[in-house]
Every structure is written in C-alpha cells, then in structure tokens.
C-alpha cells in the first residue's frame, strides 16, 4: 500500500514537473531559475512558476517582437537576468479567397475590436493554480504552417503567424492538450469558431476555425476531452486547426510544449 502510494506520488510529481523546452528566442520560452518561494513578473505581466528537483523555475513567454539581448525578470526577491537570443523565421505568402478577411470593411471594425478585447482579457488572466504542462497534440494531422512565419496575405505584409496550423479533414475531433477550464468560446471575425482554454497561471491556449464547438465557457476539461471539430470558419485557405499557446500574454511556439523535459 505504502509502495503504491509512493508510486502515485512520483507519477504525480513527474506529470506536474513536465517542462517546456528552454528556447529563449523571440516567440520562444525561457526556463529561468528563480529564488525559492518567489513569484515573478516579466514586462509587467505575472509569470508561471513551478518547482522541479527542489528548484523554483519561471516559465517565461517571450514576444515575437522581443529584441535579442539581456532581459530582466522581476521576482519578489529581486531581479533575475536572462538572455534572449535571435531567431530567424521564414516568410510565407498566402492567397485568401475572401478579401474582406484581409482588408476588413469599416463596418466590421467594432466587431473586430470587441473580439480582440474579449480574447485579450483571457490572455491577461492569471489564476494561481498548479499547471499541467504535459501537452499532447490537439489534433492528428500535418503541420501546414509553423509558428512565427512572416506573412504576406494577398500581397500585403501582415502580423507574423501566432500559432501552429494543423491540416486535417473537416470534422476531425479537436481535443484538449492538457487539463484546463474553458475561458471563452465565440464566432470571431478572423478566427471563426473559437475555443479559449485557461490552464492556470497565464498559460492559455486557443483553437480556431472550428466547424463545431462542443464546450461552453466555464466547463472543466481533462487532457483528451473533445473541444470541437476541425473546420474552415474565419480567415482560412482550407480546413485546419489554428492552435495558439500564450504565456504571460505572449504568443509562443506550441511545439515547445509538445516534447517536454521530465525533471
Ligand atoms: Zn494559423
């Protein structure tokens, strides 16, 4: 019985301590050791912290717009420095059949603004809970566009790609990569049918262009629970899942959470 209990405890610890890859680049994640029992902030936003092997670690999301060089984490026990190194992202040109989704008509501006602030309020939310960073792919399929690519849409330079695109047939189930709470759902101008999950401590994930939404705000989900189905709603060239991961209000490369280190 005691052995079983110990095993259970060890398994729990393993899972709780799954860590993302340490890639301190623009659009990446820095795993930074901070003094024990301290909290951390980066550029004014609270940062996810976790413990592993008796060490306290800050899991810092870095903006794609970050300038490489020295960066400072503000902790409750003083500043901690880390270094952001440069990374070059490729450029891709896409043709969107619906020109209004590239250059929206003025009548859609209020809707776009409203949806942006709704999503921003989720991205900036922060609940002090334990976070399970042991992620699985939300849908099986081919990565059709990776995170961070500079984008030319119908000949116009647009924001870089803020997530990972996974191509899969319309109707393919999309599942939660780890446990969390449904923070919002909606039919958004650019993102189409969308689900936002809150995994705690500012780790938020976003699922876009769904054909159907199978959850509602406030639902608790476990890893593998169905959120909806792949579709082509919003600004798309075909059916796929757009999946974004946000840490301390910075969108980061989802691939960094897929092969976590176990400490
Ligand atoms: Zn995308």
């Amino acid at each position: 019985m005691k052995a079983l209990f110990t095993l259970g405890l060890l398994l729990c610890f393993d899972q709780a301590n799954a860590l993302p890859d340490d890639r301190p680049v623009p659009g990446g994640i820095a795993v930074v050791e901070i003094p024990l029992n301290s909290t951390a902030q980066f550029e004014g936003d609270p940062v996810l912290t976790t413990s592993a092997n008796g060490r306290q670690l800050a899991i810092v999301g870095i903006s794609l717009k970050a300038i490489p060089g020295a960066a400072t984490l503000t902790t409750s026990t003083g500043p901690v420095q880390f270094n952001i190194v440069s990374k070059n992202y490729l450029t891709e040109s896409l043709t969107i059949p619906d020109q209004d989704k590239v250059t929206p008509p003025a009548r859609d501006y209020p809707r776009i603004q409203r949806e942006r602030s709704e999503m921003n309020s989720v991205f900036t939310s922060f609940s002090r809970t334990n976070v399970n960073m042991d992620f699985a792919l939300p849908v099986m399929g081919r990565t059709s566009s990776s995170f961070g690519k500079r984008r030319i849409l119908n000949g116009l330079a647009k924001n870089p790609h803020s997530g990972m695109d996974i191509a899969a047939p319309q109707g393919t189930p999309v599942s939660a990569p780890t446990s969390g709470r449904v923070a919002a759902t909606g039919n958004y101008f650019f993102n189409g049918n969308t689900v936002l999950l809150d995994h705690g401590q500012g780790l938020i994930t976003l699922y876009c262009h769904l054909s159907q939404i199978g959850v509602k705000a406030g639902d608790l989900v476990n890893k593998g629970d169905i959120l909806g189905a792949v579709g082509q709603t919003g600004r798309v060239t075909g059916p796929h899942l757009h999946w974004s991961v946000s840490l301390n209000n910075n969108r980061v490369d989802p691939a960094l959470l897929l092969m976590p280190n176990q400490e």
Side-chain angles (χ1 to χ4, degrees), residues 31-36 38 52 54-58 73 75 80-81:
V31 179
V32 182
E33 184 166 1
I34 58 172
L36 283 175
S38 55
R55 297 184 304 154
Q56 177 95 343
L57 301 170
L73 205 55
T75 82
V80 174
Q81 304 281 331

Side-chain angles (χ1 to χ4, degrees), residues 4-208:
L4 258 183
F5 177 70
T6 310
L7 182 67
L9 213 62
L10 282 173
L11 287 172
C12 279
F13 268 109
D14 258 345
Q15 210 173 39
N17 292 335
L19 295 172
D21 273 347
D22 178 27
R23 296 281 169 80
V25 298
I29 297 173
V31 179
V32 182
E33 184 166 1
I34 58 172
L36 283 175
N37 302 318
S38 55
T39 56
Q41 286 201 333
F42 185 53
E43 294 170 342
D45 293 296
V47 165
L48 192 160
T49 58
T50 188
S51 53
N53 287 341
R55 297 184 304 154
Q56 177 95 343
L57 301 170
I59 312 297
V60 190
I62 303 168
S63 166
L64 262 173
K65 293 180 184 150
I67 296 161
T72 305
L73 205 55
T74 310
T75 82
S76 48
T77 43
V80 174
Q81 304 281 331
F82 67 101
N83 210 36
I84 299 174
V85 295
S86 64
K87 173 170 180 175
N88 284 322
Y89 289 99
L90 298 174
T91 299
E92 73 180 346
S93 293
L94 296 173
T95 304
I96 308 290
D98 183 355
Q99 181 65 32
D100 280 0
K101 297 287 186 202
V102 180
T103 44
R107 66 167 187 275
D108 288 318
Y109 293 175
R111 175 185 169 190
I112 292 167
Q113 195 50 45
R114 195 171 60 239
E115 293 171 359
R116 192 168 288 154
S117 46
E118 189 173 321
M119 285 184 278
N120 276 340
S121 73
V122 177
F123 287 135
T124 53
S125 61
F126 194 90
S127 53
R128 275 199 195 282
T129 53
N130 281 329
V131 182
N132 186 347
M133 287 180 279
D134 181 26
F135 271 47
L137 256 184
V139 68
M140 284 301 155
R142 177 180 60 89
T143 303
S144 52
S145 175
S146 53
F147 173 89
K149 281 191 173 170
R150 296 157 201 267
R151 283 202 147 166
I152 315 283
L153 303 183
N154 298 1
L156 295 169
K158 292 287 177 180
N159 284 334
H161 193 212
S162 60
M164 171 192 280
D165 286 350
I166 306 166
Q170 171 116 353
T172 306
V174 173
S175 55
T178 189
S179 52
R181 183 182 60 84
V182 179
T185 68
N187 178 258
Y188 298 139
F189 183 84
F190 293 115
N191 292 336
N193 290 326
T194 298
V195 172
L196 286 122
L197 290 185
D198 181 351
H199 306 283
Q201 294 198 50
L203 175 59
I204 312 292
T205 56
L206 178 78
Y207 307 80
C208 304

